[in-house]
Amino acid sequence: MKEYVNQPHYLVAVDCIVFGFDDGQLKILLVKRGLEPEINKWSLMGGFVGAEETPDEAANRVLKKLTGLEGVYLELLNIYGEPDRDPIERTLSVGYFALIDIHKYETQLIDNYHAEWFPINELPKLIFDHNRMVAEARKKLKFKASLHPILFEMLPKKFTIPQLQMLFEQVNDTKMDTGNFSRKITSTGLLIRLEEKDKSSSKKGAYYFKLNKKSYAESFNNLLFL
Amino acid sequence: MKEYVNQPHYLVAVDCIVFGFDDGQLKILLVKRGLEPEINKWSLMGGFVGAEETPDEAANRVLKKLTGLEGVYLELLNIYGEPDRDPIERTLSVGYFALIDIHKYETQLIDNYHAEWFPINELPKLIFDHNRMVAEARKKLKFKASLHPILFEMLPKKFTIPQLQMLFEQVNDTKMDTGNFSRKITSTGLLIRLEEKDKSSSKKGAYYFKLNKKSYAESFNNLLFL
DNA sequence: TTATTAATTGTACCAGTGACAATTAATAAA
DNA sequence: TTTATTAATTGTCACTGGTACAATTAATAA
């Protein structure tokens, strides 16, 4: 078989920025890096792209390995290709951001990797250019969420509107009017109200809702959300 | 120096989807491929990422080589990494889309590469997965242009509103009301009206406008456009 | 002078948004 | 049992921006 002669070859990796929402806070999942260099430093979860897989598949594999979850919302963020970003050897990294329901991952796996959830505003210093990746991921998440209802990916099956609003406010780093928010979100037809109420945070209680999966799927064809 | 052992290394390339607007039509620039395999077939302009450059830089270099232009609007499209997308050897390609003023490129360079502008709806069959790249680029351009005023990148210094509207209609594959379009676009403050008129397509003539570079630059901080 | 044509401006209605007030449903205190 | 309290939800209203479509304008050519 022929080859393209004299062209340099590189390692290609994927790195995942994994977002979750818990306790009214937006969080991301970090791991203690298990190989040199920078072993035992905090880092994004990543891995090399194998010979038989696409970068997308590699990211899904990495995510499965860490959380046990499949079919997670995953989107290309950017490609990071500074020649010297990895001091050992040139490695291009394809960055992805993922949204998961924080209550669904497998604790055991997380422990194996010495992984931990960090509130988005309390991140430690990360290896290489990973802090930059996180910053770009936040920006992209904010933008994307303003047009697509992807934030539901981070909520449990049953959730309340005030809970949803907290998530929106965290992502957008802003406050909004509760009345208007409630109306706007229910008017989308994306939510189905359940009988049950959550009374943990108020006397009156807030109704639980679940996602209308049909409208949710359809909404991905259309654009522009809130 | 250490290395990450036993990890496969790949070629990394960039491919550019170059959009232009001329004669009321949205067009893209294709080249006759100069190396095996698929030599002499139509293809996107591309090249390998060199040892000392990022993919972004590689894309800019490739674009300069083909058109003579620098500082062109260039945006990441996607990464294409099917293991067998290049039959000779595994190559991951970083796709970019570029917007250029079609009247500015250097004809000589284009001739050297046997390049040609094709109306977007009359494309030939391209090598590898390049047709897919173009399809994705069109979609992304449409989406992006609905939020950012990037389409001006494809217009000459002086342009008329009907001309601008044709471009919008081509990109969005739709028709819009001329009156409303005119008002909306002028109300953005992005345009400065010149004294001169273009009378090539009507008796009355349409005023030429130029871009208000200050507001244009500012508009990139904000979001949401038309 | 008039007809023609595309560019531009005018008008009126409708829908969505946001600020803010009012009401409701529950609990806990008096 | 009544009342106070609090968060959730619903109401109101003015304002804005979009859209459809009609009217006007500025030039040319018949």
Side-chain angles (χ1 to χ4, degrees):
Chain A
M1 189 171 93
K2 279 187 204 162
E3 287 184 13
Y4 297 110
V5 289
N6 289 333
Q7 291 296 338
H9 294 62
Y10 312 114
L11 286 172
V12 179
V14 295
D15 284 300
C16 299
I17 295 94
V18 182
F19 288 96
F21 182 67
D22 184 35
D23 198 20
Q25 282 196 304
L26 187 63
K27 298 181 176 178
I28 74 171
L29 188 57
L30 299 176
V31 301
K32 274 253 175 71
R33 180 168 163 99
L35 75 169
E36 290 290 0
E38 305 270 8
I39 192 166
N40 286 330
K41 301 281 180 64
W42 289 110
S43 125
L44 295 170
M45 184 71 185
F48 292 107
V49 174
E52 306 295 333
E53 63 185 0
T54 63
D56 272 35
E57 287 161 356
N60 275 294
R61 172 175 55 76
V62 160
L63 223 56
K64 168 95 195 284
K65 203 167 60 172
L66 176 62
T67 65
L69 298 177
E70 290 182 274
V72 163
Y73 184 90
L74 200 60
E75 182 174 332
L76 177 64
L77 173 61
N78 206 347
I79 180 151
Y80 299 88
E82 306 289 330
D84 57 355
R85 56 178 291 282
D86 185 322
I88 297 294
E89 185 184 354
R90 180 160 190 189
T91 306
L92 292 101
S93 179
V94 185
Y96 288 87
F97 72 94
L99 307 181
I100 78 172
D101 174 356
I102 208 169
H103 304 99
K104 270 210 218 144
Y105 67 83
E106 293 182 25
T107 319
Q108 185 52 53
L109 290 171
I110 298 258
D111 288 348
N112 292 349
Y113 287 96
H114 307 287
E116 230 171 82
W117 287 99
F118 286 80
I120 194 70
N121 290 318
E122 301 169 21
L123 298 184
K125 184 174 176 338
L126 304 177
I127 65 162
F128 302 168
D129 47 5
H130 287 194
N131 283 99
R132 177 186 159 201
M133 291 187 188
V134 173
E136 291 185 9
R138 284 186 71 172
K139 213 162 147 187
K140 190 143 185 168
L141 173 62
K142 178 175 169 178
F143 178 74
K144 179 87 182 188
S146 71
L147 301 171
H148 298 272
I150 54 173
L151 295 185
F152 293 107
E153 301 285 342
M154 280 191 272
L155 290 171
K157 282 232 176 58
K158 291 187 310 185
F159 53 86
T160 65
I161 288 184
Q163 211 178 342
L164 182 55
Q165 182 174 353
M166 275 197 292
L167 175 52
F168 269 79
E169 291 181 343
Q170 284 270 319
V171 169
N172 286 69
D173 196 22
T174 181
K175 288 277 171 201
M176 22 192 145
D177 179 272
T178 53
N180 292 335
F181 182 83
S182 171
R183 235 172 328 201
K184 217 193 300 192
I185 205 74
T186 48
S187 76
T188 60
L190 285 169
L191 302 187
I192 297 171
R193 199 173 85 175
L194 307 176
E195 286 311 307
E196 192 185 356
K197 275 188 168 186
D198 167 30
K199 295 188 182 147
S200 64
S201 68
S202 81
K203 320 279 170 69
K204 180 177 177 182
Y207 281 108
Y208 277 115
F209 289 80
K210 66 176 181 179
L211 196 54
N212 181 338
K213 295 207 174 155
K214 191 154 168 292
S215 340
Y216 182 62
E218 282 166 6
S219 73
F220 272 82
N221 301 327
N222 317 338
L223 296 179
L224 260 58
F225 180 47
L226 285 186
Chain B
M1 187 173 90
K2 277 188 207 162
E3 287 183 15
Y4 298 109
V5 289
N6 288 336
Q7 291 296 340
H9 295 60
Y10 312 114
L11 286 171
V12 179
V14 295
D15 284 298
C16 299
I17 295 95
V18 182
F19 288 97
F21 181 67
D22 184 36
D23 197 20
Q25 282 196 303
L26 188 64
K27 298 180 177 180
I28 74 171
L29 187 58
L30 299 176
V31 300
K32 273 253 175 72
R33 181 169 161 99
L35 76 167
E36 290 289 357
E38 306 270 7
I39 192 167
N40 287 329
K41 300 281 179 65
W42 289 110
S43 127
L44 296 170
M45 185 71 186
F48 292 107
V49 175
E52 306 294 334
E53 63 184 0
T54 64
D56 272 32
E57 288 162 355
N60 274 293
R61 172 176 55 76
V62 159
L63 223 56
K64 168 95 195 284
K65 203 166 60 170
L66 176 62
T67 65
L69 298 176
E70 289 183 276
V72 163
Y73 183 91
L74 200 59
E75 182 175 333
L76 177 64
L77 172 62
N78 205 347
I79 179 152
Y80 299 88
E82 306 290 331
D84 56 356
R85 56 177 291 282
D86 185 320
I88 297 295
E89 185 183 352
R90 181 160 188 188
T91 306
L92 292 101
S93 178
V94 184
Y96 288 88
F97 72 92
L99 306 181
I100 77 171
D101 175 355
I102 208 168
H103 303 99
K104 269 208 216 146
Y105 67 83
E106 293 181 24
T107 319
Q108 185 52 53
L109 290 171
I110 297 259
D111 288 348
N112 293 348
Y113 287 95
H114 307 287
E116 230 170 84
W117 287 99
F118 286 79
I120 194 70
N121 289 319
E122 301 169 21
L123 299 184
K125 185 174 176 338
L126 304 176
I127 66 162
F128 302 168
D129 47 5
H130 288 193
N131 283 98
R132 176 184 160 203
M133 292 186 187
V134 172
E136 291 185 10
R138 284 186 71 173
K139 213 162 146 187
K140 190 144 185 167
L141 173 62
K142 177 175 170 179
F143 178 74
K144 180 85 182 190
S146 71
L147 301 170
H148 298 273
I150 54 173
L151 295 185
F152 292 108
E153 301 286 341
M154 281 191 270
L155 290 171
K157 281 231 175 60
K158 293 188 308 187
F159 53 86
T160 65
I161 288 184
Q163 210 178 342
L164 182 54
Q165 181 173 354
M166 275 197 293
L167 175 53
F168 268 78
E169 291 182 342
Q170 285 269 320
V171 169
N172 286 78
D173 195 23
T174 182
K175 289 278 171 197
M176 21 191 145
D177 180 273
T178 53
N180 292 336
F181 181 83
S182 169
R183 236 168 328 194
K184 215 194 300 191
I185 205 75
T186 49
S187 75
T188 61
L190 286 169
L191 303 188
I192 298 172
R193 199 173 85 175
L194 307 176
E195 287 310 307
E196 191 185 356
K197 275 189 168 184
D198 167 29
K199 295 190 183 147
S200 63
S201 69
S202 82
K203 322 280 171 69
K204 181 177 175 183
Y207 281 108
Y208 277 115
F209 289 79
K210 66 176 181 180
L211 196 54
N212 182 337
K213 295 208 173 154
K214 192 154 168 294
S215 341
Y216 183 62
E218 282 166 7
S219 73
F220 272 81
N221 301 329
N222 317 339
L223 294 180
L224 262 56
F225 180 48
L226 284 187

